[in-house]
Amino acid sequence: MNIAHFVYSLDMGGMERIVVDISKAQRDRGHKVYIFSMTTAEPSFEEEVKEKDIELFKFYKTGGFDLRLFFKIVGLLRSKKINVVHTHNPVANFYGAICARMAFVKAVINTRHGMGNYPYNKKGESIFKFSSLFVNKVVFVCELARKRFVDLKIVSAEKSITIYNGIPQKAFLAMQSQNQGDIKEQLNIIKYKQMVGTVARLEPAKDISNFIKAARLVLDVNRDVFFVVVGDGSEIDCLKSLAEKLKIGKNLLFLGKRMDVARIVSMFDVFVLSSISEGASITLIEAMILKKAIVATKVGGNPELVLDGKTGLLVPSQDAESLSKAVLSLLSDEEKRIAMGNEGCARAKELFDVNTMNMQYESLYEESLR
């Protein structure tokens, strides 16, 4: 198959990571794969796809409707003899799905990578509903999202399906090989007995402010805990200000974007995801593979990944007190942390591998090509 993946951008993020990983998996299976980015691309992702002989097109789209872009994309789809277009999220679907039909591409699949509820964009969802008329199937990354879009009558039940995200587990585990002590020494945090961390884009939907407020409450009980935030985003300055205001700067470190996430997370005693809205979090799956006990908010697809009381603890969103109590309960019970970590790892290996995900997508492609 000649497969073209459409994204709004290929910047650092969970959805973008999925697109790169599934493209690499499809290339390994002998397919010709292309990535069409409406805007830009993260240099590290560019290098990854280049190594796999995956051609990347960047269109540097600016705001508003771009008619010329339609004709450019249609020309490329025809010249590359694309027979499968896979779009990711609404903007990419608007351009990718319509252009695919203009280029007579037979198989057109869209994946919605989130819940579409934070913030809810009525106009945007109306446009998505229209552009979804041009696709064979709309894939959701958790069952709750699929049901929500069906209930809102944005997508029909017949056209919708759920496929969980997956990661390249062997490659990810290989990244944690560096000695943990070396990293702790580099970060100057060897003296702390326990570590709690999160990995996320620093954007409102991830609610890192709640993580910081919970950290303050944990430190009121146990001063030997160190907190780590991995990621970058628009809220970085206000989050640092909040940490200063709550006087936890000595016990909290913002690491920014990191390419060695596996090595960092492998040091955590507890992994936290404090989101207000979430689809199927890649960072949750990564933490599960690393056998980490998890505290996550009970939103979106989190309960479909994390089994409450078995592989982690689920708490209400925007509730720092509940979050801190859950973290403290796990920090005080090593046996429970180990048991939850082992259960979570087994669950992730069974359900959330990139090859499992890719085979389900390839089955959809083949069904649409018939």
Side-chain angles (χ1 to χ4, degrees):
M1 288 182 277
N2 292 343
I3 305 165
H5 288 276
F6 278 73
V7 294
Y8 178 72
S9 78
L10 203 63
D11 293 334
M12 192 65 72
M15 181 274 287
E16 293 83 359
R17 178 75 264 170
I18 283 290
V19 172
V20 170
D21 287 341
I22 195 173
S23 296
K24 290 163 66 176
Q26 289 167 353
R27 189 73 189 95
D28 286 342
R29 283 178 48 79
H31 304 297
K32 187 64 179 173
V33 185
Y34 303 85
I35 298 177
F36 287 35
S37 172
M38 300 295 98
T39 54
T40 57
E42 166 73 26
S44 61
F45 281 159
E46 285 198 59
E47 286 299 317
E48 276 194 62
V49 299
K50 185 178 180 181
E51 288 176 5
K52 283 288 185 178
D53 192 30
I54 296 168
E55 197 167 356
L56 170 66
F57 295 99
K58 296 177 289 184
F59 298 106
Y60 301 101
K61 179 187 177 300
T62 55
F65 179 75
D66 189 341
L67 182 60
R68 289 178 299 177
L69 186 54
F70 274 90
F71 293 105
K72 189 172 185 178
I73 292 171
V74 170
L76 281 169
L77 292 176
R78 287 174 175 169
S79 67
K80 299 298 181 181
K81 298 180 180 179
I82 301 298
N83 56 1
V84 176
V85 163
H86 187 163
T87 67
H88 300 266
N89 282 343
V91 175
N93 191 60
F94 181 75
Y95 284 89
I98 295 174
C99 289
R101 294 312 186 193
M102 291 171 66
F104 303 105
V105 176
K106 193 171 183 180
V108 185
I109 305 297
N110 170 260
T111 300
R112 279 299 296 254
H113 289 267
M115 293 295 296
N117 63 346
Y118 192 84
Y120 179 70
N121 184 331
K122 186 175 182 180
K123 180 181 178 181
E125 294 303 347
S126 296
I127 294 172
F128 177 69
K129 182 177 182 179
F130 167 73
S131 65
S132 294
L133 297 173
F134 298 90
V135 308
N136 300 87
K137 285 283 187 180
V138 179
V139 177
F140 296 92
V141 296
C142 65
E143 183 61 13
L144 185 65
R146 189 193 70 80
K147 289 179 178 177
R148 179 175 182 275
F149 277 81
V150 170
D151 289 344
L152 290 172
K153 301 188 185 305
I154 295 172
V155 176
S156 68
E158 295 74 23
K159 187 174 273 192
S160 65
I161 188 173
T162 298
I163 296 178
Y164 290 112
N165 287 335
I167 67 170
Q169 297 180 10
K170 290 182 180 179
F172 182 73
L173 286 171
M175 293 171 62
Q176 65 167 325
S177 58
Q178 181 176 329
N179 183 277
Q180 291 183 25
D182 291 342
I183 300 176
K184 287 185 176 181
E185 188 173 354
Q186 292 168 17
L187 301 178
N188 195 28
I189 55 175
I190 290 178
K191 65 179 180 179
Y192 295 96
K193 293 181 180 179
Q194 293 179 306
M195 187 179 298
V196 176
T198 188
V199 180
R201 290 179 294 107
L202 306 189
E203 303 295 341
K206 301 301 180 180
D207 200 14
I208 303 301
S209 61
N210 193 47
F211 173 82
I212 294 172
K213 292 172 186 175
R216 173 69 273 172
L217 296 174
V218 170
L219 290 170
D220 287 341
V221 178
N222 183 351
R223 295 293 301 177
D224 285 329
V225 183
F226 195 83
F227 294 85
V228 173
V229 176
V230 180
D232 201 357
S234 64
E235 291 204 314
I236 180 63
D237 291 334
C238 66
L239 292 172
K240 286 182 176 179
S241 296
L242 177 61
E244 288 181 17
K245 180 181 177 181
L246 296 178
K247 299 179 180 179
I248 61 171
K250 291 182 179 179
N251 291 73
L252 173 65
L253 187 61
F254 291 91
L255 291 181
K257 290 182 182 179
R258 299 283 298 214
M259 300 308 296
D260 57 346
V261 169
R263 291 199 292 261
I264 299 297
V265 175
S266 66
M267 298 188 299
F268 296 171
D269 294 283
V270 177
F271 181 89
V272 174
L273 191 69
S274 55
S275 305
I276 297 171
S277 178
E278 197 68 62
S281 168
I282 299 303
T283 58
L284 273 186
I285 297 171
E286 290 173 346
M288 291 166 73
I289 285 295
L290 292 170
K291 298 185 178 181
K292 297 302 164 183
I294 291 167
V295 177
T297 47
K298 195 174 183 179
V299 300
N302 290 353
E304 296 175 45
L305 271 62
V306 178
L307 303 181
D308 192 22
K310 190 173 182 180
T311 67
L313 299 176
L314 296 174
V315 299
S317 62
Q318 299 178 289
D319 186 342
E321 185 175 355
S322 294
L323 184 58
S324 66
K325 286 180 178 178
V327 169
L328 283 166
S329 72
L330 290 179
L331 289 177
S332 64
D333 192 336
E334 183 179 10
E335 187 176 333
K336 180 184 284 189
R337 292 200 309 272
I338 292 172
M340 285 184 167
N342 288 334
E343 287 279 357
C345 182
R347 179 171 171 77
K349 285 182 177 179
E350 179 184 0
L351 299 175
F352 309 128
D353 183 75
V354 68
N355 293 314
T356 302
M357 173 184 66
N358 180 51
M359 292 309 296
Q360 292 178 75
Y361 275 118
E362 287 196 25
S363 293
L364 269 189
Y365 300 165
E366 290 166 0
E367 178 185 317
S368 300
L369 286 170
R370 292 190 191 115

